[in-house]
Amino acid sequence: MTTAPDARQDDRAAPRFPSPLYDLMYGHIHASVLRAVVLHGIPDLLADGPLTAAELAARSGTRVEPLRRVLRLLAARGLFREFPASPASPESRVSHASPVSHEGDDEQRGESVFGLTESGAALRSDVPGSQRAPVLMFTDEMFHRSAAALPGTLRSGEPGFDAAFGVPFFDYLADAPDKSGLFDAAMTSRPGTSNADIAESCPFPASGTVVDVGGGRGGLLREVLVRFPGLTGVLFDRPGTVAGHLLDDEALTGRWRAEDGDFFTAVPRGGDVYLLKNVLHDWPDEDCVRILGVLRAAVEPGTRLFVVDAVLPEDGSAHPAFAVDIIMLMLVRGRERTAGEFRDLLARSGFRLDHVVPTPSLSSVVVAEAV
């Protein structure tokens, strides 16, 4: 009599794909691998098409076998594709080949070629919306040392960054031009904060002046001015930040100016609309009230304020900004907030929350008015 196979034995033999637990547990490995290939310029080397691991190693000054293994993992994560080599052109071998199998000897593996997927192409430094700077920032020691200090943060409530580096995050950036430059570049293009989506979602008037407070290098302001030719703009941020602005565009000539200063002290007057993008989430409630109070003192009643930040769901349902909230916990004393929490902050500062506009990006637009 034939017996049925043991289902438990079949389960043991089947490959087990990572559970959410394993993805979390190995997350730092994926981040480290990603940082390594970006630092060595591998995505840029693939701009013209796929190359073998040996070709990539020779051009990047790396070793073939470690590089192949790292790229294999990132191929499994959907950023690269691996194919068997063929005498055809790189374009045809990518479009017609099947992903390579690793059964066989090392020589066979050495003949495979690697290319970028659509997601991986964002790692190149020369593409619009490049994610190179965000990758390098979020995998920098500023972040991983702060993350390692989270057990202490849970006991003390103090940012892990302060414990790891001995100074607050923004004080550290003020004395570290290279890190400050990386931060500014990453904030200009970090994922989930599409300036185009935000500019399209904000109810801007047809004419007037937009003041972007803490506007970084002006990526959002530039998008707004391009989309709304009747508007003029003022970019306001730290001196070293506005010095690297992105507003030198013939189409914008005569329609903008940059001012430097400290938004805890004063902000430019005379605007019809004020922007605060990714500013309030950096600060605890009392500091947010100070920032908003300085802004309220500079504007007339009825002036509109657009606060661009993630807005967490009131019911605790899943939202990608929960991860950003932990970054705030690690680095600074800020936090992501719900609409109700924004309403309270604004009311304490002389503003009234009118409504919240969702966008296709991570951020929403909290529309408020000075009262």
Side-chain angles (χ1 to χ4, degrees):
M1 179 177 179
T2 304
T3 59
D6 188 329
R8 289 172 300 176
Q9 184 173 347
D10 287 348
D11 287 344
R12 287 193 298 270
R16 297 180 180 181
F17 294 98
S19 70
L21 171 62
Y22 283 99
D23 264 354
L24 290 169
M25 195 161 57
Y26 295 145
H28 67 288
I29 296 172
H30 299 139
S32 298
V33 164
L34 181 60
R35 179 178 182 82
V37 299
V38 170
L39 279 174
H40 283 292
I42 303 302
D44 285 339
L45 293 175
L46 293 171
D48 294 327
L51 296 170
T52 66
E55 290 169 328
L56 288 167
R59 298 182 192 188
S60 62
T62 59
R63 301 293 294 271
V64 177
E65 186 60 19
L67 179 60
R68 181 187 295 116
R69 292 160 67 181
V70 162
L71 292 175
R72 182 174 60 191
L73 173 60
L74 291 176
R77 303 299 296 187
L79 296 178
F80 292 81
R81 298 184 73 185
E82 184 178 5
F83 300 93
S86 76
S89 66
E91 292 79 6
S92 65
R93 70 190 183 198
V94 166
S95 58
H96 298 295
S98 300
V100 72
S101 166
H102 284 283
E103 295 180 1
D105 58 22
D106 288 345
E107 183 178 354
Q108 181 182 7
R109 288 203 304 270
E111 288 300 317
S112 62
V113 295
F114 291 91
L116 292 167
T117 64
E118 183 177 351
S119 296
L123 298 172
R124 287 170 47 189
S125 62
D126 61 345
V127 296
S130 169
Q131 295 303 295
R132 184 180 189 276
V135 165
L136 292 179
M137 185 184 77
F138 287 117
T139 60
D140 187 81
E141 64 169 354
M142 295 186 291
F143 283 77
H144 68 70
R145 287 177 61 185
S146 300
L150 270 172
T153 297
L154 295 183
R155 291 190 299 270
S156 68
E158 297 299 308
F161 186 93
D162 294 25
F165 291 88
V167 293
F169 179 66
F170 288 110
D171 291 351
Y172 175 85
L173 289 183
D175 292 330
D178 57 335
K179 301 291 188 181
S180 180
L182 176 61
F183 177 81
D184 290 339
M187 288 298 98
T188 299
S189 58
R190 77 183 176 95
T193 57
S194 165
N195 288 325
D197 289 338
I198 293 166
E200 185 176 352
S201 301
C202 286
F204 287 105
S207 62
T209 298
V210 177
V211 181
D212 194 355
V213 176
R217 299 169 63 195
L220 175 56
L221 183 60
R222 183 182 186 282
E223 188 70 35
V224 170
L225 296 180
V226 168
R227 284 175 175 267
F228 299 92
L231 293 175
T232 58
V234 180
L235 177 64
F236 181 78
D237 210 313
R238 298 166 295 162
T241 299
V242 297
H245 67 78
L246 305 172
L247 298 172
D248 281 331
D249 186 321
E250 280 190 25
L252 305 181
T253 300
R255 294 178 53 208
W256 63 272
R257 72 179 191 272
E259 293 187 20
D260 59 66
D262 178 0
F263 51 49
F264 281 109
T265 304
V267 300
R269 294 177 174 271
D272 299 290
V273 176
Y274 283 72
L275 288 172
L276 280 173
K277 178 192 173 190
N278 296 336
V279 171
L280 296 186
H281 77 160
D282 287 335
W283 304 98
D285 287 356
E286 292 308 315
D287 284 336
C288 287
V289 171
R290 286 177 58 203
I291 295 167
L292 291 167
V294 168
L295 200 154
R296 178 61 187 87
V299 305
E300 299 295 329
T303 302
R304 281 206 149 182
L305 168 66
F306 299 156
V307 176
V308 180
D309 257 325
V311 176
L312 299 179
E314 302 275 2
D315 61 3
S317 56
H319 193 286
F322 287 138
V324 183
D325 188 48
I326 301 305
I327 293 175
M328 298 300 104
L329 184 66
M330 289 161 37
L331 294 185
V332 292
R333 288 172 170 77
R335 59 185 301 169
E336 304 301 330
R337 295 177 171 90
T338 64
E341 290 168 332
F342 277 115
R343 181 177 291 106
D344 292 343
L345 285 180
L346 291 162
R348 291 170 60 188
S349 312
F351 290 91
R352 181 184 66 251
L353 190 153
D354 189 75
H355 62 286
V356 177
V357 182
T359 78
S361 70
L362 178 73
S363 299
S364 295
V365 182
V366 178
V367 180
E369 186 173 295
V371 297

